[in-house]
């Protein structure tokens, strides 16, 4: 077979063990899954009602334009409907953008570590990847600017960043955007935007009018609790959206996903409730880490990256034996860390108790 050379050593995304796999392996009845940053509070009850009342035929293709969702989202964001693109999760949007702009001879700039799919898709397209190390868990925007040249096609900015949870303030982002050349697309990934503390959050959509080379990505997989429905979206200028639309597969968002997303969007009270609960649980983790001399990154997402000072795989494996699925930092660029999704109050306490057991036994903490 004439495979692309660049994919020969490329590994597929590994989502981690499922709940059923862990139950079977460790013969446990109850599992707490806190590895994929899903919303532990579920989704708006209005979604259940909408799905129960669904009457359209499954033999027909979904609306390829996602018309109802598009109009609902445009009204919510106060943008032109033509400024929106809807995708099968933001993973597909990353793929679409990469396919539209990257090729051999082009390069793309990103932080390191950050969301793995930016690099993954760039490699598939044969583009050069230029990674700039984080500074204290935050984007080195000045360093990223220094990597941009005439062949740069895309700059990826993840805020809040995955896996550190750090957020780029407007006073840092705006000067950065002002210095990026107009023909370089800046992708601002805001998958966790709705979790950001109100005292530091700003309206990033206002930057689109000021910077025509900016596209913002968001998702219904996180705070909206609709990960299984796979609905992501992008907001940019009409010209940018029209340019990348030809690389979007037809009928890429399914009919139930469109329905669930448009319904969930109307229940902002649920969204705010989830954000508030997440804030409370986040503070509990901060206090715990400080009390036990554990390093951590202040987060604006629904997860926290904790530095145990030892092998992240060993820590996550210990927690796995307790029925707790988390994400080892080893696969995320932080070999001595573990990324933990902020779950329900009782789940988070269970995690902290297990970590405390590690400390008391001197199993992993020096």
């Amino acid at each position: 077979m004439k495979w692309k050379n660049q994919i020969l050593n490329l590994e597929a995304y590994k989502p981690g063990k499922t709940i059923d796999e862990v139950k079977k392996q460790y013969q446990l009845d109850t599992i707490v899954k806190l590895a994929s940053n899903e919303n532990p509070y579920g989704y708006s009850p209005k979604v259940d009602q909408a799905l129960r009342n669904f009457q359209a035929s499954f033999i027909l293709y979904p609306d390829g334009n996602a018309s109802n969702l598009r109009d609902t989202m445009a009204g919510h964001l106060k943008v032109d409907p033509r400024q929106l693109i809807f995708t099968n999760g933001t993973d597909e949007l990353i793929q679409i953008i990469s396919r539209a702009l990257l090729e051999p001879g082009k390069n793309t700039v990103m932080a390191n570590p950050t969301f793995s799919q930016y690099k993954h898709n760039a490699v598939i397209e044969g583009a050069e990847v230029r990674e700039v190390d984080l500074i204290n868990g935050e984007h080195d925007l000045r360093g990223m600017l220094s990597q941009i040249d005439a062949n740069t096609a895309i700059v990826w900015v993840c805020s809040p960043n995955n896996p550190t949870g750090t957020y780029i303030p407007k006073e840092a982002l705006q000067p950065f955007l002002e210095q990026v050349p107009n023909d370089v697309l800046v992708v601002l990934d805001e998958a966790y935007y709705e979790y950001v503390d109100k005292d530091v959050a700003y309206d990033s959509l206002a930057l689109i009018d000021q910077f025509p080379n900016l596209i913002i990505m968001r998702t219904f997989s996180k705070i909206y609790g609709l990960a299984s429905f796979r609905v992501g979206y992008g907001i940019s200028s009409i010209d940018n959206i029209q340019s990348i639309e030809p690389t979007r597969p037809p009928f890429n968002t399914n009919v139930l996903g469109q329905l669930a997303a448009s319904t969930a969007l109307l229940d902002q009270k649920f969204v705010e409730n989830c954000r508030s609960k997440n804030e409370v649980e986040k503070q509990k983790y901060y206090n715990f880490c400080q009390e036990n001399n554990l390093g951590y990154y202040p987060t604006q997402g629904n997860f926290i990256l904790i530095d145990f000072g030892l092998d992240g795989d060993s820590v996550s494996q210990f927690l796995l034996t307790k029925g707790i699925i988390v994400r080892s930092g080893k696969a995320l660029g932080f070999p001595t860390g573990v990324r933990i999704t902020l779950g329900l109050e009782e789940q988070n306490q269970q995690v902290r108790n297990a970590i405390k057991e590690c400390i008391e036994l001197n199993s992993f903490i020096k």
Side-chain angles (χ1 to χ4, degrees):
M1 296 296 181
K2 300 180 178 66
W3 305 114
K4 287 183 176 181
N5 289 332
Q6 57 265 33
I7 74 167
L8 296 179
N9 296 314
L10 199 62
E11 293 186 2
Y13 180 80
K14 297 178 180 179
K17 292 182 179 295
T18 66
I19 290 176
D20 288 339
E21 286 174 333
V22 176
K23 280 184 177 181
K24 183 177 181 180
Q25 182 176 355
Y26 296 98
Q27 298 182 348
L28 297 169
D29 295 325
T30 304
I31 302 297
V32 176
K33 184 176 183 290
L34 299 172
S36 301
N37 304 338
E38 294 130 334
N39 186 349
Y41 307 106
Y43 50 81
S44 167
K46 295 181 179 180
V47 173
D48 273 332
Q49 185 63 45
L51 293 174
R52 281 195 294 268
N53 293 336
F54 178 79
Q55 295 181 346
S57 173
F58 288 124
I59 67 172
L60 301 177
Y61 285 108
D63 176 3
N65 194 48
S67 302
N68 183 61
L69 175 57
R70 181 178 301 276
D71 290 342
T72 304
M73 178 64 75
H76 175 69
L77 298 179
K78 297 179 174 57
V79 299
D80 190 304
R82 295 172 295 172
Q83 290 183 259
L84 300 168
I85 184 171
F86 294 95
T87 54
N88 184 29
T90 52
D91 296 288
E92 185 183 50
L93 183 52
I94 294 168
Q95 183 183 58
I96 287 170
I97 292 171
S98 299
R99 187 178 182 187
L101 288 163
L102 297 179
E103 60 187 346
K106 300 285 181 63
N107 69 70
T108 179
V109 178
M110 64 195 69
N112 179 47
T114 191
F115 188 50
S116 62
Q117 293 304 292
Y118 311 150
K119 180 177 181 179
H120 186 90
N121 281 280
V123 171
I124 291 174
E125 299 302 331
E128 177 190 355
V129 177
R130 297 183 176 181
E131 298 177 285
V132 179
D133 290 346
L134 300 174
I135 298 178
N136 297 323
E138 299 183 347
H139 281 59
D140 177 7
L141 296 178
R142 181 177 298 178
M144 292 174 70
L145 284 170
S146 71
Q147 292 298 310
I148 298 173
D149 63 19
N151 294 318
T152 303
I154 307 174
V155 176
W156 303 91
V157 179
C158 189
S159 180
N161 186 45
N162 182 6
T164 56
T166 50
Y167 184 63
I168 302 173
K170 184 177 181 180
E171 55 267 27
L173 181 62
Q174 177 138 353
F176 171 78
L177 293 173
E178 290 171 351
Q179 296 177 74
V180 176
N182 293 334
D183 62 349
V184 175
L185 184 69
V186 178
V187 183
L188 179 59
D189 187 345
E190 293 188 328
Y192 301 93
Y193 172 78
E194 293 87 357
Y195 285 108
V196 178
D197 296 346
K198 288 186 173 181
D199 57 344
V200 299
Y202 54 91
D203 181 17
S204 55
L205 296 181
L207 296 171
I208 291 175
D209 290 335
Q210 188 175 354
F211 301 101
N213 59 330
L214 175 66
I215 184 170
I216 295 173
M217 299 195 306
R218 293 180 183 174
T219 183
F220 284 91
S221 295
K222 301 306 177 184
I223 205 166
Y224 287 100
L226 300 176
S228 287
F229 289 95
R230 309 304 297 129
V231 181
Y233 62 101
I235 317 106
S236 190
S237 68
I238 295 173
D239 287 344
N240 285 340
I241 297 300
Q242 287 180 337
S243 294
I244 63 175
E245 270 283 1
T247 60
R248 178 179 65 84
F251 311 112
N252 60 325
T253 55
N254 67 78
V255 64
L256 294 180
Q258 292 179 24
L259 174 63
S262 59
T263 304
L265 192 62
L266 298 176
D267 192 356
Q268 290 300 309
K269 183 178 180 180
F270 172 82
V271 172
E272 176 55 28
N273 187 42
C274 292
R275 192 202 65 79
S276 297
K277 290 179 179 178
N278 186 77
E279 179 66 23
V280 171
E281 294 306 311
K282 179 171 66 175
Q283 292 298 325
K284 291 179 183 178
Y285 267 107
Y286 288 174
N287 295 338
F288 176 81
C289 289
Q290 292 163 8
E291 291 168 0
N292 293 279
N293 297 313
L294 295 172
Y296 67 94
Y297 290 98
T299 178
Q300 293 293 343
N302 67 332
F303 57 88
I304 185 168
L305 181 63
I306 300 177
D307 186 1
F308 288 84
L310 291 163
D311 184 69
D313 284 351
S314 298
V315 178
S316 60
Q317 181 63 34
F318 177 84
L319 294 177
L320 203 59
T321 65
K322 302 294 182 180
I324 302 168
I325 307 174
V326 296
R327 189 76 185 271
S328 170
K330 208 164 189 178
L332 303 173
F334 290 89
T336 60
V338 171
R339 192 192 68 190
I340 304 170
T341 302
L342 303 181
L344 302 173
E345 180 180 11
E346 58 271 22
Q347 293 174 331
N348 296 329
Q349 188 58 56
Q350 182 180 343
V351 174
R352 291 191 292 268
N353 289 343
I355 294 174
K356 189 70 173 178
E357 184 178 342
C358 292
I359 296 172
E360 292 172 349
L361 293 174
N362 285 321
S363 297
F364 306 112
I365 309 300
K366 293 180 180 179

